[in-house]
Amino acid sequence: MAAQHRLVFAAGRRIHLVEQGAGPLVLLVHGFPESWYSWRHQLPVLAAAGYRAVAVDVRGYGRSSKPAAADAYRMVELVADNVAVVRALGEESAVVVGHDWGAAVAANSALLRPEVFRAVGLLSVPYTPRGGPRPSDVFAQLGGGGGEEEFYVSYFQEPGRAEAEIEPDVRGWLAGFYGALSGDTMPGPGAPDPHFVGSGGTLRDRFPVGRLPEWLGERDLDVYAAEFERTGLTGALNRYRNMDRDWEDLAAYDGAPITQPSLFVGGGLDASTTWLADAIAAYPVTLPGLVSSHVLDGCGHWIQQERPDEVNRLLVDWLAGLPAT
């Protein structure tokens, strides 16, 4: 069965998705700055293994709705979108798998709506329960506190600021951003960290140039660039602009574990894995239903695209072991 593009409507919103296969529903949620296309290697494999694989364009991306209000991109809204997609597809429950921001959306979907999401797979970004200080205060300290460097999440906060860097050359910026976080093209030890902006500079100043990562062909880059050239980056960046709102919205879930069967796969060279090593170590408490956890040596951030065969095998094996629907 070939992959099919669909638009579903729920609660006044439009969600574009790509669907392949028949069987238990597996909902795939991408991160920043990607689209449904980041799951292109998983859709046919999951379909062949007997699953109904569905990759969405998250709100603000691709052909999905792009509300104007910044607070429309808060976590509880994205969880509601996932529930609405499951219902619009005529299903009662699903396994949800996410990468990058999609991992956080998947985790919170499982946390807030356990009756809908029976299992959760997290790629690249570990589960970190809500808690601690206000996120903006934490991020403000990561650049050293003296103003010499600014963490990229803080850089993304002011509406229009990052857009002004990215949108004049979307394709070139994406190529650099993907390269900066890929295992085969990321800056070496001792080079300026591309997660930070130097005083008066831009993120792009620290991106590698001249070579695409092995996983990213020119056509792949064209697909991503064409979408963001059409939509702009504001919808995607608005996810970062809601982290304090999420902290407030989810106060009742402070420290809450996710108890459904879960899977984690990270990249050994990915800052999300190394910086959040304590979160991975806490999985016996925070993910008591964890079936397996894997860190792929030499792999960067774009894990299901950098290592599709390994990730597909881990996903299929994990799905096969889940309780029947």
Side-chain angles (χ1 to χ4, degrees), residues 109-166:
S109 296
L111 180 67
L112 272 61
R113 298 300 300 270
E115 78 284 7
V116 178
F117 299 102
R118 62 188 183 92
V120 58
L122 309 176
L123 304 187
S124 296
V125 176
Y127 175 54
T128 54
R130 187 267 185 213
R134 184 177 295 273
S136 59
D137 294 338
V138 174
F139 298 133
Q141 296 301 313
L142 289 178
E148 64 276 8
E149 287 194 321
E150 184 178 14
F151 192 49
Y152 78 102
V153 178
S154 298
Y155 178 72
F156 284 168
Q157 292 304 306
E158 181 185 337
R161 186 182 178 199
E163 288 93 326
E165 173 187 342
I166 303 168

Side-chain angles (χ1 to χ4, degrees), residues 33-52:
E34 300 175 277
S35 74
W36 76 266
Y37 189 74
S38 67
W39 301 104
R40 62 195 178 280
H41 303 298
Q42 284 68 52
L43 287 166
V45 171
L46 294 177
Y51 298 96
R52 185 183 187 184

Side-chain angles (χ1 to χ4, degrees), residues 229-243:
E229 285 167 353
R230 182 174 57 79
T231 65
L233 271 292
T234 297
L237 289 164
N238 277 343
R239 173 81 290 273
Y240 291 92
R241 296 166 183 162
N242 278 278
M243 296 179 75

Side-chain angles (χ1 to χ4, degrees), residues 111-315:
L111 180 67
L112 272 61
R113 298 300 300 270
E115 78 284 7
V116 178
F117 299 102
R118 62 188 183 92
V120 58
L122 309 176
L123 304 187
S124 296
V125 176
Y127 175 54
T128 54
R130 187 267 185 213
R134 184 177 295 273
S136 59
D137 294 338
V138 174
F139 298 133
Q141 296 301 313
L142 289 178
E148 64 276 8
E149 287 194 321
E150 184 178 14
F151 192 49
Y152 78 102
V153 178
S154 298
Y155 178 72
F156 284 168
Q157 292 304 306
E158 181 185 337
R161 186 182 178 199
E163 288 93 326
E165 173 187 342
I166 303 168
E167 291 179 355
D169 177 20
V170 169
R171 192 178 192 279
W173 193 91
L174 289 174
F177 190 75
Y178 295 144
L181 305 185
S182 295
D184 58 337
T185 51
M186 63 175 52
D193 191 332
H195 295 88
F196 292 85
V197 178
S199 179
T202 64
L203 271 175
R204 188 173 187 156
D205 296 339
R206 300 182 176 187
F207 292 170
V209 295
R211 181 164 77 96
L212 292 181
E214 193 66 32
W215 63 267
L216 184 68
E218 296 284 353
R219 179 185 174 278
D220 301 320
L221 182 56
D222 286 343
V223 171
Y224 285 125
E227 289 289 75
F228 288 112
E229 285 167 353
R230 182 174 57 79
T231 65
L233 271 292
T234 297
L237 289 164
N238 277 343
R239 173 81 290 273
Y240 291 92
R241 296 166 183 162
N242 278 278
M243 296 179 75
D244 283 351
R245 289 189 186 96
D246 297 338
W247 183 79
E248 295 167 356
D249 288 344
L250 300 173
Y253 295 88
D254 198 77
I258 294 172
T259 59
Q260 296 97 310
S262 56
L263 167 75
F264 175 72
V265 188
L269 299 179
D270 185 4
S272 299
T273 301
T274 55
W275 289 350
L276 296 173
D278 288 349
I280 297 173
Y283 279 168
V285 173
T286 61
L287 290 178
L290 184 70
V291 174
S292 60
S293 180
H294 311 267
V295 175
L296 306 185
D297 290 342
C299 186
H301 182 67
W302 317 105
I303 188 163
Q304 77 269 32
Q305 299 176 88
E306 291 188 51
R307 299 285 182 84
D309 292 343
E310 289 176 79
V311 170
N312 289 345
R313 176 179 54 80
L314 292 171
L315 283 174

Side-chain angles (χ1 to χ4, degrees), residues 73-135:
Y73 298 84
R74 64 212 303 159
M75 184 61 70
V76 291
E77 296 277 3
L78 301 183
V79 169
D81 285 350
N82 279 353
V83 174
V85 167
V86 173
R87 298 291 186 242
L89 293 173
E91 303 283 358
E92 292 298 319
S93 67
V95 175
V96 61
V97 179
H99 170 256
D100 182 75
W101 262 122
V105 176
N108 282 284
S109 296
L111 180 67
L112 272 61
R113 298 300 300 270
E115 78 284 7
V116 178
F117 299 102
R118 62 188 183 92
V120 58
L122 309 176
L123 304 187
S124 296
V125 176
Y127 175 54
T128 54
R130 187 267 185 213
R134 184 177 295 273

